[in-house]
Every structure is written in C-alpha cells, then in structure tokens.
Amino acid sequence: MNITTIVYILGWILRIESAFLLLPALVSACYREPASMAFLGVSALCLLTGWLLGRRKPQKLAFYAKEAYAVTALGWIVMSLFGCMPFMLTGEIPHFVDAFFEMVSGFTTTGASVVANVELLSHGTNLWRCFSHWIGGMGVLVFLLAVMPMVSGSNLNLMRAESPGPSVGKLVPRMRYTARILYCMYFALTMAEIVCLLVAGMSVFDAVCTAFGTAGTGGFGVRADSIAGYSPAIQWIVTVFMVLFGVNFNVYFLLYARHFREALRSEEVRVYLGVILAATVLITMNCFDGDLTPEHNVRNAAFQVSSIITTTGYATVDFDLWPTLSKLILVLLMFIGACAGSTGGGLKVSRFVIAAKMLIRHLRGYIHPREVRAIRFEGHDVGEDTLRSMFVYLFAAMMIFCVSVLLVSLENQDLVSTVTAVAATFNNIGPGLGTAGPTSNFAGFTVLSKLVMIFDMLAGRLEVFPMLVLLYPLSWRRTVRAERKRMARHGR
C-alpha cells in the first residue's frame, strides 16, 4: 500500500468537504439559525485536518487498484465521520451512531433515516442531508479527478473503485476530462429539474433539496410525507427525473456528441425502461382503486416503481399496504437497480442482462456441445475476465446480504422487516417494508443493526470490493513489512 498517497488523497477529500459545508452554513445564516456556527466550525476543522494530511505531496502521485480501493473506502468513511458532526453539535441528532448512520445514508444515496420528523430540523441540516445525496451520487473522488492531475492509470483505477457498475470506461482519451464531462452533465440535469419544479409551483428551498435527492437517487426529503403532499405535476416531474438519473451517463454523452443511433441502441437502457413499463402496468392493475382516477392510479404505480428501481426512495403512498404481488415486485426491483454508470444503486440491469445471456449460452451448450458462442453486450464481446469478476461480485454481495440478515435478525424483528431493511440499505434504496417501511424510520433498530446496515450502505454504494479490500488483513500486512524494511535501510 502506498500510504503516503492515500493520506494525501484523504487530505484533499477533507478540503473538498470543507468547501461543501459552507453551503448549509450559508443557508442556516440566511434563515438566522444557530446551526450555521456548527457547520462553519466543522468546515474549519475539515480544512485544518485536510491541510495537515495533505501538506506533504508525494513525489509521484500514482497508485494501483489496491490503493484505489483502500482510499475510496477510507475516503467515504472519513467524509461521513466529519459530515455527521454538525448533527451532534446542533443537538438535532445527538447520538453518534444515529448521526453517523444518517450521514452514511446521505453520502451513499441510500435515504434511510433515523429522524422521526424531518420538518423539525433546521433548514441548514435538511439542506446538508439532501446535498450529501448530490455529492455522493456522482462521487467526491470523481470530482477530485476533475480538479487534481494524477499519473496516467491512477485516474482510471480511482474511478473504477468508486463508480457503480461492472465496468468504467473513458468518454474521452483523458480520464480527467471524462470526470469533468460527467459532472457537467450531472449539474445540467440537476439544474433542469430545479427549473421544472419551480415552474410547477414548488418553493426554491424545496425544489433545490428535492432535486439534490433525485439527482443522487437518494431520497431524503424535507417533508414528513416525502413527495405525497405535492401536486400531481410535481410528482410526475420527479418521476421522470428519477428515471433519467437511473440511465447510464455514457448515453447522455453519446447524445451530446450527436451519436443518436448508438445512444438509442443501448441494450441496457432498453431493458431498464422495459422493466419500468412492465412493473408499472402490473402494479397499476394489481392496485387499481376505483375511488381514484386512472391517472392517479398510474401515477402512484409509476412513481413507486421509478423510485425503487433507481433506488431513490421517495414515496407518494404507503406501499407497505399494497397487495402481496405489488410488494414482491418492488422487492425484486430493489435488487435489480438502475443502469451501470448512473447514480442509482442495486445490482445493476447490465449484470442481470449478462447473467441471462450466460444462462442461455449454457442451455445451448447442452443442445450444441461443440458450439463456441461469445456473449455480446452493448455491441461488444464480453470477456471471460469480466464474466468471472461479475460472478465473484454477485457471490460476495450474496454472502454480505445473508450475513447481514443473520446479524440484524438477532433483535427479533419480523422476517419481512429484517430482510427488507437489509435489502434497502445494501441496495441504497432507503425504505423497506414493515418497521422499515415508507411511513417509518430506522431509529428503532439496535446499535448493532445500525452498524451492520452502515457497512451495508457503504459496501452497496462502493460495489463491495473497496470495503472488503479495506478489511482484508493481507492488504495491510505487506504494508507494515515494507515500512519496517524502509526504516531499517535508513537506520531508523
């Protein structure tokens, strides 16, 4: 492990977080709330700590995959540790585990909350919760790549460690410019939603917070009833933008570059939209309420399907009261998730498409044993290394999910609440069913369960491997030995 480079990157992450904390401090000051001093104090602490960690720049800012995974996992943990401090200083979330849970949920774009009534929180705190979704949606390390040059190869390792999906490629030859393009598209879509929400009659503060939550597919809201209390027009706008932010951002780059045919041929996006349409039709038929208009029935179904498959977590109805078929469809959508390269969570549509093609190839092998047939996805052959890493990921995700369910089950919650709470946090969705449903929160879980779900949120957002590398003893054992040898050579 290149410890010097890891510490230097963590210093820059804290400096960036220090700048981000100024926004909720400014909002609190505008509303004359005492919380502004808490945000300013933590911002200063982040800046000082970041300067101390990053004051010694490595001679060569380069590292490999293991350093990228380690700095990604550590970076998100450190961001959450400092980010939760304003909650405790203001007394709005006084307990450390609860505050840390809330902040990890924000940065990982999960949206699972321990706050009973968000309307009692200060404007600065609510904005920071929602803004954390926007920061975590595209990733702070992607932002770091856009502003800080590194040695060729290190950029790609860092982006692959943080970006969701089975693979990350370059939109342009230099990865630094790729990061800038991604953030420009992300910012443009966010601004477009803010404008649409303002036109539909939403207040400026609510529009900004809702857009932050939608863009990061997070789900923190500023009202206790989430999006249910807003007009139908606003609900439709949020539905459309949830779907848009669940699309692979490579498709938007192709549209920007006027490669329309290639963008429209995206296999993953077609499957993604097809699943949304099919699930919406099934739930509309299963939950049809004669006392509501057909538009209202379709809107409720489309909103919840879009919210769950993109792992946003907003709600307009208590879907825990829906029939079993509809709830089962939503649980399946929790695992499917959005497209790779989007801000959404879950296992990703691309993995399910590739796994289905592998199943078909395997079945064809029984009929035509000598046939050699490559698996193609998005117009390209899928290499055996990609297939192997994909199934290793799926196995690791399954094992983490099973162990987490066993640990959370120790507090004797009902089976539905236990399983869906883990599924909702691991897939970065937010609400589950039962005691973790859309009208409840996670405050009632024990400290152990919250710690397990904190790990699940981080593992789910970072695609499992960064957290596993961080916990793998061999990753650090060699580092300690190398450091001892270096000190022996210098006679220390």
Side-chain angles (χ1 to χ4, degrees), residues 140-474:
V140 71
L141 294 176
V142 176
F143 181 83
L144 187 63
L145 291 178
V147 299
M148 191 173 74
M150 294 185 186
V151 174
S152 179
S154 300
N155 290 337
L156 187 57
N157 285 329
L158 199 59
M159 183 172 280
R160 281 175 174 168
E162 186 180 50
S163 299
S167 64
V168 174
K170 298 180 181 180
L171 302 181
V172 292
R174 298 189 64 179
M175 185 57 72
R176 186 179 181 186
Y177 295 138
T178 295
R180 290 179 180 178
I181 290 171
L182 287 173
Y183 254 98
C184 286
M185 293 188 295
Y186 189 48
F187 181 78
L189 277 173
T190 305
M191 292 304 298
E193 183 180 2
I194 291 174
V195 171
C196 291
L197 292 174
L198 291 174
V199 171
M202 197 179 247
S203 67
V204 175
F205 181 81
D206 287 14
V208 171
C209 290
T210 303
F212 282 159
T214 308
T217 60
F220 278 155
V222 294
R223 289 192 179 184
D225 61 356
S226 190
I227 308 295
Y230 294 108
S231 67
I234 289 175
Q235 293 179 13
W236 276 117
I237 290 170
V238 175
T239 301
V240 170
F241 276 95
M242 284 191 296
V243 174
L244 290 177
F245 280 107
V247 172
N248 192 322
F249 272 67
N250 285 358
V251 174
Y252 296 133
F253 177 77
L254 292 173
L255 293 174
Y256 171 76
R258 298 184 179 180
H259 297 167
F260 301 113
R261 184 175 298 178
E262 189 176 351
L264 295 175
R265 284 204 306 260
S266 174
E267 188 176 358
E268 183 182 26
V269 173
R270 292 202 305 268
V271 173
Y272 165 70
L273 296 177
V275 170
I276 291 176
L277 179 60
T280 300
V281 171
L282 288 173
I283 290 179
T284 300
M285 295 171 61
N286 187 234
C287 298
F288 193 85
D289 187 347
D291 295 332
L292 303 176
T293 64
E295 182 273 337
H296 198 161
N297 282 283
V298 173
R299 172 163 36 93
N300 285 341
F303 188 97
Q304 294 312 141
V305 167
S306 302
S307 178
I308 296 300
I309 195 171
T310 61
T311 70
T312 304
Y314 284 140
T316 55
V317 294
D318 184 4
F319 52 81
D320 197 23
L321 302 177
W322 281 1
T324 302
L325 174 62
S326 296
K327 290 192 288 187
L328 181 59
I329 291 173
L330 292 182
V331 171
L332 293 175
L333 294 178
M334 288 182 183
F335 289 95
I336 294 174
C339 298
S342 70
T343 61
L347 298 179
K348 304 296 179 297
V349 173
S350 56
R351 288 193 176 99
F352 281 90
V353 174
I354 294 173
K357 290 187 175 185
M358 280 201 69
L359 175 61
I360 293 172
R361 186 179 72 169
H362 190 72
L363 293 175
R364 286 178 62 92
Y366 289 115
I367 302 172
H368 305 287
R370 296 184 179 180
E371 182 183 48
V372 178
R373 187 181 182 87
I375 295 176
R376 292 183 62 81
F377 180 71
E378 301 286 14
H380 303 285
D381 290 342
V382 180
E384 293 300 323
D385 289 343
T386 301
L387 296 176
R388 183 170 60 253
S389 64
M390 186 187 80
F391 277 97
V392 169
Y393 165 81
L394 291 175
F395 176 77
M398 180 184 68
M399 292 304 298
I400 291 174
F401 177 79
C402 292
V403 172
S404 298
V405 169
L406 289 174
L407 291 174
V408 175
S409 67
L410 292 175
E411 63 175 272
N412 290 321
Q413 295 266 11
D414 63 276
L415 181 62
V416 172
S417 298
T418 300
V419 173
T420 59
V422 173
T425 50
F426 183 69
N427 293 306
N428 304 133
I429 294 164
L433 299 173
T435 57
T439 59
S440 305
N441 58 66
F442 288 72
F445 286 90
T446 63
V447 171
L448 174 62
S449 295
K450 289 174 184 174
L451 291 175
V452 170
M453 288 187 277
I454 284 171
F455 177 84
D456 288 342
M457 288 188 284
L458 289 166
R461 172 59 180 84
L462 300 179
E463 300 278 279
V464 172
F465 295 116
M467 295 300 295
L468 295 182
V469 168
L470 189 66
L471 297 176
Y472 188 46
L474 192 60

